[in-house]
Amino acid sequence: MRRIVPPALIGVLSAAFGVALAEVLAAATRPQAGPLIAVGGAVIDAAPAPLKEFAVRTLGTNDKPVLLATIGLALVVFTAVVGILSVRRRWVAVAGAALFGLAGAAAAALRPAAVAYDVVPSIVGAAIAGGTLLFLLRRSYRPTATAFDRRAFLRTAALVAGGAVVAGGAAEAVKRVRGGAATRSRDAVALPAAADPAKPLPAGTAPGFVTPNADFYRVDTALTVPSVDLGAWRLRIHGMVGREVELSFDDLLRRPLIERDVTLNCVSNEVGGPYIGTARWLGVPLAPLLRELGVDPGADQLVARSVEGMTIGTPVATVLDGRDAMLCVGMNGEPLPLVHGFPVRMLTPGLYGYAGACKWLTEIELTTFADFDAYWVRRGWGARGPVKTASRIDRPAPFAKLAAGRLTVAGVAWAQGRGITSVEVRVDDRAWAKAELLPAPSTDTWVQWRYDWAATAGLHTLSVRATDGTGAVQVEQRATPFPDGATGWHTVTATVE
Ligand SMILES: Nc1nc2c(c(=O)[nH]1)N[C@H]1C(S)=C(S)[C@@H](COP(=O)(O)O)O[C@H]1N2
Ligand SMILES: [Mo]
């Protein structure tokens, strides 16, 4: 054990100290350049689509902490081995540190929105980790290279451990302060009233029609929530336009704003899944702005870029076809929450989020589909992303135990842009029966439905299917979300007693 545990610990502690100092450096300058976040981001970008889907499906919004913990664990194993091997061969310490610095630096430099000095935290961290490792080894193995000096080891190891904890705490504190600054700049935003406000929700919508911001699903690749300095923030519109512009947040707020109830959903949502919500969005309508600038008739793709380098491509024809595509500044009566894209995000009713709803927006480029593949398209997802007609049973919950008698089966159905004209429910293998549709403000939102069920004792399977405004019935064939959205009828099984 004495041959293994102390040198392994020396390896791990040295790395922890180096990483923690690198993270402080990054937190104070560019948080996305921290080695853990950079490597995590690189892993997310490199992960094959099925793995990513699996992570979103099984881990939900815990996917990010789980990823970081996995990277941490890999790092522990790697540095423990380096520590053990370095007792007899000091060059292993140097090589290990170099490899470790290179991985962090490469990951940071290859992030989409990287700047040249993003490699600095990883290189500094690796140099410190390597130096600390050599120092701890020299102190702990005296007078010969392999004679272990327990007291010296404990003393110096405690010192390094303390240093790592302090540095780690400092990195956390700096991140807090920065996040606090973004929160304060958000708190200071006073949103103007919409020139074209949303009408009150029609009478008869049931509770839950609007999803509160705190409950709204979150799906993105950002390991750290971008904290945008509103004063320095600009939206640049360029590419195949008659006139390029750079707009400040105030420039946007000076334009006439529209307010709309729109349902947003994720292409990764499984049949019956939770990645869908409806909010009242406030924003600048995009079509008139683009028409003012003049769009080159050859431009068929609008590429939105976010501050952390996400790219989302949207068909220009979709943005200009009369739907309420907008640059959102408000969500349910508040400035956009940080996690939902503060200060500005895009929203394109009728498209999945990955194809029309770029958060933390900073750039719009008019280009062509032939010339540019956006982030998810490069990973095999469909380039255009129209929402498929779908429906979900929310009540009863799966495997609920119910009492016999009259029960209300309820849920939602959506086909943004086309609207929902009918929802049918089937109990076991009986005939499909029409559900009641509750009123909805427009075809861009989901529709709530309910169905009165005379439940008899036994195990029952409930199924739902919707028909959209074009008359098309929701596709029965089960398909996975990849590459362009799940299909299939949602079913729920319940026991009636
Ligand atoms: N910058 C950025 N914008 C993004 C994403 C992202 O990863 N980064 N994910 C998109 C996807 S896949 C979806 S479904 C929606 C989710 O928006 P929400 O998190 O506000 O619900 O954001 C879109 N916009
Ligand atoms: Mo998504």
Side-chain angles (χ1 to χ4, degrees), residues 118-213:
D118 282 352
V119 299
V120 173
S122 289
I123 290 174
V124 170
I128 289 170
T132 308
L133 177 54
L134 292 173
F135 167 76
L136 281 178
L137 289 170
R138 205 175 58 220
R139 282 311 189 81
S140 309
Y141 293 90
R142 277 192 308 194
T144 67
T146 51
F148 183 55
D149 178 346
R150 187 160 171 277
R151 284 189 49 204
F153 162 73
L154 288 176
R155 221 172 326 133
T156 43
L159 203 68
V160 171
V165 169
V166 170
E172 225 14 74
V174 174
K175 276 186 203 159
R176 282 261 161 88
V177 169
R178 287 199 135 208
T183 305
R184 276 192 300 282
S185 90
R186 177 177 178 270
D187 289 346
V189 169
L191 293 176
D196 180 359
K199 289 181 222 35
L201 286 185
T205 52
F209 184 86
V210 170
T211 314
N213 290 351

Side-chain angles (χ1 to χ4, degrees), residues 217 219-220 264-269 275 352-355 376:
Y217 81 94
V219 169
D220 55 60
L264 174 64
N265 50 326
C266 183
V267 69
S268 302
N269 205 26
Y275 302 132
Y352 291 117
Y354 85 100
W376 293 107

